[in-house]
Each structure stands twice: as C-alpha cells, then as structure tokens.
Amino acid sequence: MSAAGSRRFEPTGPLRGSYRPPADKSISHRAALFGAMCDAPVTIHNYLDSADTQSTLDALLKLGAGVTQDGEEVVVRGVGLHAALEATGGELDVGNSGTLLRLLPGWLAGQPGRVWTLDGDESIRRRPVDRVVEPLALMGAGVQAREGRFAPLTVRGAELRGIEYPAPVASAQVKSCVLIAGMLADGSTTVTESRQSRDHTERLLRRARVPFECDGLAVTVGQVDELELEEITVPGDPSSAAFLVAAACLVPGSRVTISGVGLNWTRTGFFRIAQRMGATVVGVLEEPGTRADREPVGELDVAHGPLEGTQVGGGEVPLAIDELTLVGLLGAFAQGETTIRDAAELRHKESDRISAVVDGLAAIGADIEEAEDGFTVRGHGGPLEGGVLDARGDHRLAMLGAVAGLASERGVEVLGMDAAAVSYPGFEQDLAALLRG
Ligand code: S3P
C-alpha cells in the first residue's frame, strides 16, 4: 500500500444512531477457501467486499475454482479438497493479505505434482512466512521462501504425513495452515498453541464434519476425503466495528448501537478491555472458553464516558491482537497509565504496529513509550492535541488516526488514508453517517 490519500479529520461529533459493520475479514477468507475445497458449490452470504478478500477470490479463480459474485453473495464452486487442479502451478498474488499468504500454502502443500509461488505487495514481502514453512516442511512439502523467511514463497505439493507441532507463536494463521494441511496428511496432525488464538477455522471444521478434537490448546485433525459445507453466513467484523466503538467511547455525547457484529469470544478481547477501562460497551459477548460450530452474532450499545488506564498482557493479547493499537488510543485519553506487554507479534503485522502506533500517537500529542513487546501510554483524562499521523500503509493505523482526529482538540491529518480499503472500504461513509446522527 502506498501512502496515498492524505485526509484531515476535524474534532466533530457526537456520533449517534445505529450501525452495521462490514463483514468479517478473517471469516470471509476462510469461507472462500473452504468453499474452494468442497466438491459441491458453497454459497457465502455477506462476503466482505475489500481489497484483501478480493485477493482470495482472485487466487481461487486462478487455482481453478468457480466464483460468482452478486453483491455480498458469493458462490464458490470448489475443486475438492484433493484438488484435481487443472493448472499444475504458477504465480498467485496475495496482495496485502497475510491471512491468504499463511493459510493457502496449507492446502497447496498437499497437492502432489503442483508448484505454486505466492507473492504480494511491499508490506507482504516484509512479513515472516517461516512460521508456516517450518511445519509444512516437517509434513513433507517442498517449501522455499526468500532468505528462508519472506515472500515470494514457493510451495511444491507432496504426499504429506501428520505431525505434532508446538507452534512457536500464538497465531491463528499458523494453526489454520497446519490444520488445513493436516486434512490432507497421512495419520493425524496436532497443533498446540501457547495461548488461545481466534478459532474460526476450528468452527468451520466442526461444521464441515471433519474428524477433529480440541484438548486445551491442542487441536487435532485427521485425514479427510471431502468437506461438507453448503452455506456460510459471515457476521459483521468486530475488528472493524472496534474503530467506531472507540470513536463512540472518545467523542463526547456519543451513543451508538452496533448490530450484526460477530461476538466470538476469541475476537472480543478489545470490548472486554474497553469495559475494564470504564467504557460503556453493553452487549452479550460470548462466554470465554466456548467451543462451537457457529459464529455468534449480536448487538452492542456504546456510549461516551470517562476512562481509566489498564494493563494488557498474556492470554489477552491474541484475543485483541488487531485492536491493541486502539487500546493505546483509548489509553491516551484515559486517566493514568495503560500498558501493553507480550505483544511482540505486533511488529509483524501490516506495519510494525508497535513503532507505528508509538510514533503516530506521539506525533499527535500522546505521552507514549515503546517497549520491545508493547508500549506504555500515560493519559490525563483529556483529549489529545492533534497533528499529523502517518498510517505507514497500514489500514488499521489509518482508521485509528481518523478516530483520533474526531476526538482531538485540533484535528488529525492522516497520511495514507487509502489503506483503509484493505479491510473497510466504507469506513469514512459509515463514520460520516453516524456523525450526521
Ligand atoms: C488473522 C489472525 C491474526 C490477525 C490477522 C488475521 C486470521 O494474525 O492479526 O489480522 O485471519 O487468522 P495471527 O494469527 O498471525 O496473529
């Protein structure tokens, strides 16, 4: 993503009314990918229309799947799990999508005689893929990455064998990649995480009636002939909704009702953290620890109010991984100190999100300090002054800058606002509608 599209966000508000977030990005990627692995057509309702999820559909088309799009409804006519792919290989462009880059190799690794190379934009070429190269190589695939670590990533399919894999990072992308490859491998495959990450893949596997077990943080899958899914409805994205939740928490006089939002407990860490900071975020979140084959959907009521600092670390980190920068923003407006630790993974996102949020918030007046695995921000219970925030090509940083601007004293100019289209092309329109109330 280039730094295109500089935009100013002036202090305005309040935000009032009701709002439906765009479809979930993580679940849209998985729905399309699993659809392509089925033998019969799969209808996906409410598929996310964004740059990232379009990259997934384009890649699947190139792999030989049929894709028909009619608004938010997508029908994927798959090639089956043991893909009788017409093409024997070629190049696949993942664009800016880390999820596509890490999940798709799991499927390709189990297609003997096929060789595919995955590559993407400048940001994707800086993101580590050794985390999937290692388990796939252990399973018997031929996998090669630039400097052993980065895209382009070449996957040479093979007859795979099951493994027991302790994942070195708590990453749903790694877990999902190994589970997908596991369905194609001889014997059983177990992946064990150090902390629970988002479980959308597990829910889809349960629904597709794949032999599959969860034991604490260990997930085991067996070899499968075919997947059975007919329809998937994608809920609203809690990570996209989080920007509007943060805006409603920070802009005085705001009161917003959010409907159709996914409330899977492995994704709602941010809402729990905001509640702990004193924010009015009311809704029935799924109970932590729930194992299910469906994605829960519900409503949240959010209102402006005073906030207090908090500490975030350990098992809470993966459950709020994409929203930790927003916790930093809330912390900058809160009374007291907010600390994020155990979050070194943030350095491997669409940008180095630790340095990007520290520099970005400091540039608009926050008292914030960088740590190797997080940051500390000290607030005095009042608004940030404002200034210029560089999104560094990162969609989530761009949207954070916009929210900061609305709640600031003098406004924020966001450099690189166009990046928002990676996950949330309608962000500015949704914000404007709530500002009109
Ligand atoms: C994702 C998992 C997370 C998250 C990313 C999407 C997914 O990454 O940050 O935006 O769809 O599985 P990790 O699993 O690598 O932490």
Side-chain angles (χ1 to χ4, degrees):
M1 276 273 132
S2 73
S6 137
R7 214 96 77 240
R8 260 198 87 71
F9 293 86
E10 300 293 350
T12 9
L15 289 87
R16 308 287 288 194
S18 53
Y19 155 76
R20 237 187 140 77
D24 192 283
K25 180 156 81 73
S26 279
I27 300 174
S28 292
H29 282 302
R30 286 164 172 76
L33 199 52
F34 273 69
M37 294 178 201
C38 287
D39 295 290
V42 176
T43 303
I44 307 169
H45 304 284
N46 196 33
Y47 189 81
L48 175 66
D49 178 12
S50 73
D52 253 23
T53 42
Q54 190 58 47
S55 296
T56 291
L57 296 183
D58 292 344
L60 297 177
L61 273 168
K62 205 149 179 198
L63 286 169
V67 175
T68 342
Q69 266 177 289
D70 181 5
E72 285 165 350
E73 188 169 295
V74 169
V75 178
V76 180
R77 284 176 309 283
V79 289
L81 186 58
H82 303 266
L85 300 176
E86 277 165 37
T88 55
E91 299 198 347
L92 297 168
D93 182 4
V94 304
N96 189 247
S97 175
T99 302
L100 181 57
L101 177 67
R102 273 67 168 264
L103 264 60
L104 186 53
W107 188 29
L108 301 177
Q111 313 300 326
R114 308 280 193 265
V115 186
W116 292 94
T117 298
L118 293 86
D119 201 0
D121 69 10
E122 193 199 324
S123 142
I124 217 74
R125 282 183 157 220
R126 288 194 302 264
R127 302 185 63 185
V129 286
D130 45 339
R131 49 186 61 199
V132 297
V133 168
E134 183 185 80
L136 294 178
L138 287 170
M139 295 177 89
V143 207
Q144 268 178 330
R146 178 173 52 90
E147 295 165 28
R149 231 184 141 214
F150 302 107
L153 169 68
T154 299
V155 184
R156 193 173 293 274
E159 303 287 350
L160 301 181
R161 53 183 174 268
I163 55 166
E164 296 209 355
Y165 189 65
V169 282
S171 158
Q173 295 178 350
V174 173
K175 173 175 63 179
S176 302
C177 174
V178 176
L179 291 175
I180 292 169
M183 292 193 286
L184 292 151
D186 195 24
S188 70
T189 296
T190 301
V191 53
T192 308
E193 295 192 280
S194 51
R195 296 173 190 151
Q196 174 75 49
S197 65
R198 63 189 67 189
D199 70 350
H200 306 305
T201 300
E202 292 92 305
R203 290 182 196 229
L204 269 178
L205 290 173
R206 278 191 197 101
R207 272 191 69 185
R209 292 183 272 279
V210 170
F212 158 79
E213 263 172 54
C214 277
D215 181 8
L217 293 170
V219 189
T220 302
V221 73
Q223 197 168 32
V224 183
D225 288 333
E226 55 178 343
L227 289 182
E228 289 174 52
L229 286 166
E230 280 166 21
E231 278 192 294
I232 302 172
T233 301
V234 181
D237 196 324
S239 299
S240 299
F243 294 99
L244 283 298
V245 169
C249 288
L250 296 179
V251 177
S254 297
R255 170 107 205 243
V256 174
T257 302
I258 300 173
S259 60
V261 61
L263 295 175
N264 176 325
W265 71 278
T266 63
R267 291 290 300 284
T268 46
F270 173 68
F271 303 139
R272 286 189 289 272
I273 294 166
Q275 286 169 337
R276 194 165 75 225
M277 294 176 85
T280 307
V281 178
V282 183
V284 186
L285 306 182
E286 190 181 51
E287 209 39 51
T290 304
R291 304 227 187 264
D293 66 354
R294 301 275 153 167
E295 295 288 345
V297 185
E299 198 172 274
L300 293 175
D301 259 313
V302 190
H304 168 258
L307 301 173
E308 283 171 19
T310 191
Q311 320 293 315
V312 177
E316 207 167 32
V317 165
L319 309 181
I321 189 73
D322 290 337
E323 293 76 56
L324 292 175
T325 50
L326 276 178
V327 175
L329 179 66
L330 294 192
F333 284 73
Q335 183 70 50
E337 199 169 90
T338 294
T339 302
I340 311 277
R341 286 291 181 280
D342 307 321
E345 265 301 295
L346 287 180
R347 296 203 181 272
H348 305 298
K349 297 297 176 189
E350 286 81 332
S351 65
D352 172 344
R353 284 195 181 143
I354 294 181
S355 100
V357 79
V358 168
D359 294 350
L361 289 181
I364 59 172
D367 174 4
I368 185 165
E369 214 175 286
E370 182 166 346
E372 201 38 55
D373 63 345
F375 52 86
T376 298
V377 55
R378 284 170 213 92
H380 54 84
L384 290 174
E385 194 190 335
V388 180
L389 184 145
D390 184 352
R392 300 198 184 168
D394 184 331
H395 55 130
R396 299 203 198 278
L397 260 300
M399 293 186 276
L400 174 146
V403 173
L406 299 182
S408 68
E409 278 172 352
R410 290 197 294 107
V412 169
E413 180 175 355
V414 179
L415 304 181
M417 195 60 215
D418 289 3
V422 156
S423 61
Y424 194 168
F427 171 72
E428 288 184 67
Q429 288 94 301
D430 285 353
L431 205 52
L434 288 174
L435 288 168
R436 283 194 299 272

